[in-house]
Amino acid sequence: MADKQYRNQMTDNTCKIHVTNLKKNFGGLEVLKDISLDVTEGEVVVLLGPSGSGKSTLLRCLNQLETATSGRIIIDGHDVTDRHTDINKVRENIGMVFQHFNLFNHLTVMENMTLAPVHLKVASKEQAKQTAVQLLQRVGLEDKSEAYPSQLSGGQKQRVAIARALAMKPDIMLFDEPTSALDPEMVGEVLAVMKELARDGMTMVVVTHEIGFAREVADRVIFMEGGYIVEEGSPEELILHPREPRTIDFLSKVL
Amino acid sequence: MISILETYGAMLFTALGKTLLMTLLSLIFAMVIGMIFGLMNVGHNRVFNFIGTFYVDAVRGVPLIVLAYFIYFGVPAGIQGIGFSNFRLDALQAGTIALSMNCGAYMAEIIRAGIESVDRGQMEAGRSLGLPYGTCMALIVVPQAVRTMIPSIINQFIITLKDTSILSVIGFPELTNVGKTIVGNTFRSLETWAIIGVMYMVVIVTLSKAAKWVERRVNRGR
Ligand SMILES: Nc1ncnc2c1ncn2[C@@H]1O[C@H](COP(=O)(O)OP(=O)(O)OP(=O)(O)O)[C@@H](O)[C@H]1O
Ligand SMILES: [Mg+2]
């Protein structure tokens, strides 16, 4: 019954991600203390916060790479905190991009991109290859389809990783510090792909220290610290006119 | 030396064949055993972890010769005792079981270590795309783990081949056992054991050379 209520709520305001009172402990360590968060369709949310504030953990709870200790997470109307939900089905719809790319090292770029769609029968082998070619063009790597990850630069790896996630045709994309492991000259090419994705209306949750990206692309910026959401608002409000002392303090260090 | 080879050459090569047969059979079974218990130790299921660890510790904690006696003499006696009076295990069967169990325990550790050497992010990336755990293991993690496991598996292969000689104690006519027979008949210990030593050595050196070649080929694609 509760489920139905959530579902209605979802269809009313096209809410893609609905988090209420999320808590996450690692043993005795409380990492997320009480997080509530809604993300609507097409919205780009940037998470800011100091190291250890729980940004990655929050992101990883959304697709259940970490199981929540308590609270509810509704993705597209599916309660992923409910044991009976087929989490694999929900994950097909949530792409994730990692700081360290996590490309499958033993497979070519093309194989990286077609493995999941073909195996999960989202597409036939032929369709999956076509989609992969199109996506590689989109991220500017159409000539790399037969390369192995070890033959790519960091920026190229991350663009392939984004394309691989997109190959599943997800509704939602999660990014965990996608540019933090890159040499400075490669950051731009990855951010450019992400900007284009945002412009095309993808729902995105992005953990990043790129304040410039947040100002330009985000619809909403959230500042986290110590397992709580301290402050949130438009990029204007949060980055240019923060109110909370902790936000001001953090921004003064990264700007 | 020539006369020993003339008289017993055929017997020695038959025995070498039996040694290789037992090694190969044991290795195949050990692979399966190692896969099962190794994978049990990789996941986070407490019951599986316990079973996996228990098996590895138990088998590694018993000398192979004791395990062989237990399976060759002990187990049939026990089974006959509960009413199956026709139950027998011949030396090949008992020896292969003992060797498979022993080698399987080491193989489980090799497989566990190999899988754990693969970055956790590989599994997470697979899961985040919606692939189930088993699929990620089979298509993403294990293929990468195998590369790091190959040298240890070859090493284990060689150890198993040498361990067959321990099974001469239960009377399986492998190389070492036949060696004892020949010495008993001829009293020419020096030549006999020298010949047998060289036979083991030739096989093992050939195997390790072949293995090195395979290893290089597998690593080339990286
Ligand atoms: N698997 C885990 N087991 C135990 N503790 C963990 C685990 N993952 C994260 N933590 C702890 O949880 C806290 C928050 O970690 P998290 O990675 O979410 O922070 P973060 O905001 O992403 O930081 P960073 O900017 O450094 O990536 C840290 O104190 C971290 O040590
Ligand atoms: Mg993090």
Side-chain angles (χ1 to χ4, degrees), chain B residues 73-86:
Chain B
F73 298 114
V75 170
I79 292 177
Q80 285 157 17
I82 58 169
F84 300 91
S85 53
N86 291 325

Side-chain angles (χ1 to χ4, degrees), chain A residues 2-3 6 14 28 43 71 78 80 91-92 97 114 128 160 168 176 215 234:
Chain A
D3 249 310
Y6 279 111
T14 61
E43 198 178 11
H78 303 282
V80 297
R91 280 175 179 155
E92 288 183 15
V97 176
T114 53
V160 171
M168 287 297 294
D176 192 357
R215 282 184 59 177
S234 69

Side-chain angles (χ1 to χ4, degrees), chain A residues 121-156:
Chain A
K121 303 200 166 52
V122 173
S124 70
K125 188 145 198 159
E126 276 317 305
Q127 289 168 332
K129 278 190 177 171
Q130 270 178 21
T131 309
V133 170
Q134 286 163 5
L135 286 167
L136 285 175
Q137 277 167 0
R138 199 163 146 194
V139 300
L141 291 171
E142 56 273 29
D143 53 334
K144 296 292 183 190
S145 66
E146 294 314 311
Y148 281 90
S150 60
Q151 298 164 319
L152 303 177
S153 74
Q156 291 172 334

Side-chain angles (χ1 to χ4, degrees), chain A residues 55-56 99 176-177 207:
Chain A
K55 306 180 297 293
S56 298
Q99 182 175 358
D176 192 357
E177 302 201 31
V207 175

